[in-house]
Amino acid sequence: MRLVAVGTGTVVPEGDRGGSCFYLEAAGSRLLIDCGPGALQGLARWDLPWKSITDIVITHFHADHIGALPGLFFALRHGAAPERGEPLTVWGPLGTGRLFSRLAAAVGDYVLHPGFAVRIHELEEGVGQATEGGLELSVRSTAHTEESHAVRIQGRDAAVGYTGDTGLPEGDARALGSFLGGLDVLIAECSLADDEVSDNHLSPRRLASLAGAANPGLLWVTHVYPHFRRRDDVAELLSTAGYEGAVRVLSDGDAWSGGTGES
Ligand SMILES: [Zn+2]
């Protein structure tokens, strides 16, 4: 299994970080998790096989997580010679079908009919699904937007998960931590400092308690607002808040490999 942080930024534009996007490769699946602004440049920059993506997993509909979707389908339609024939499967929250219909109405039919089959599946909490390549997908609703969810992706011998954007209501550290428990890599947002965070995002103290419950092999910290990452050492704040596991505060292009490569 190979994981690449394609875009680790936020809603605030930055020269060195794109909007949220991760690339995951395992056996037959080449999967994007979110597709924020800058994703196409990131995929090209890190030499990732964007033309042969098999699946896209969407955590929620904020533009910093899905803004590059029309551009990706336009590129697959017109910029991917020789023409692509393989189907592409989109996994997203309830409302993903309607989102794609609206995108198609706004920018063009190629979003739904790019010259190959686009299959859209809406994921529901408690209902496991699997990609054609055999990755198991499950989701758990998060405190961010009406549709937002965290995602867990299980291969044969490695597993990763992503909080998407989320707050951490009372009791959720245990419940969300258990859903995201025992992962090789937990990708987690940490938007803002403890004294400036809103109800629908994580801060070091919240993330320390979530990650403490989830106990991942490696914690990948993403979606840190620019002023916060310039001002503070987020890894140190996590440690001060009591999280003792391995932490990497991400930059675009960071990568991880694990498992046997067969998963
Ligand atoms: Zn969001």
Side-chain angles (χ1 to χ4, degrees):
M1 187 178 271
R2 180 162 78 111
L3 183 63
V4 181
V6 178
T8 63
T10 65
V11 64
V12 183
E14 291 175 277
D16 61 341
R17 292 194 304 174
S20 296
C21 181
F22 297 87
Y23 171 80
L24 176 68
E25 191 174 276
S29 294
R30 288 173 298 282
L31 186 145
L32 286 190
I33 311 170
D34 285 347
C35 190
L40 302 191
Q41 288 72 20
L43 290 166
R45 185 178 309 136
W46 314 118
D47 203 20
L48 298 169
W50 61 271
K51 294 178 190 173
S52 58
I53 294 291
T54 58
D55 302 84
I56 302 172
V57 177
I58 296 169
T59 63
H60 66 294
F61 302 154
H62 277 160
D64 57 329
H65 291 253
I66 61 158
L69 280 176
L72 176 62
F73 282 86
F74 201 57
L76 290 171
R77 176 77 185 96
H78 296 294
E83 260 183 44
R84 175 186 170 123
E86 299 75 31
L88 192 154
T89 307
V90 179
W91 309 88
L94 291 177
T96 301
R98 194 178 51 178
L99 170 75
F100 271 73
S101 300
R102 287 175 169 177
L103 285 174
V107 301
D109 212 30
Y110 61 83
V111 173
L112 285 169
H113 304 289
F116 52 86
V118 176
R119 303 168 180 155
I120 295 173
H121 292 284
E122 299 187 344
L123 295 163
E124 288 177 69
E125 193 170 321
V127 183
Q129 299 277 3
T131 68
E132 275 195 5
L135 293 175
E136 292 170 23
L137 305 177
S138 51
V139 296
R140 186 179 188 281
S141 184
T142 61
H144 185 67
T145 58
E146 197 182 330
E147 79 284 356
S148 62
H149 56 209
V151 59
R152 182 184 177 102
I153 304 172
Q154 179 81 49
R156 207 172 303 151
D157 59 5
V160 303
Y162 177 32
T163 60
D165 285 355
T166 187
L168 200 65
E170 198 69 33
D172 236 29
R174 244 184 46 209
L176 187 56
S178 144
F179 170 72
L180 295 169
L183 297 166
D184 294 278
V185 182
L186 169 58
I187 309 167
E189 72 124 307
C190 190
S191 293
L192 292 160
D194 294 306
D195 61 359
E196 60 184 359
V197 73
S198 56
D199 282 348
N200 63 351
H201 279 295
L202 295 178
S203 64
R205 218 177 288 153
R206 289 178 191 168
L207 178 53
S209 98
L210 174 64
N215 194 27
L218 174 62
L219 177 63
W220 262 17
V221 180
T222 188
H223 203 276
V224 182
Y225 270 72
H227 74 274
F228 180 33
R229 79 170 174 142
R230 276 196 302 269
R231 187 188 63 200
D232 291 316
D233 181 335
V234 178
E236 199 175 292
L237 291 176
L238 284 163
S239 159
T240 306
Y243 183 64
E244 292 171 350
V247 172
R248 179 163 188 89
V249 180
L250 292 174
S251 300
D252 286 12
D254 281 349
W256 170 88
S257 296
T260 59
E262 302 291 315
S263 64

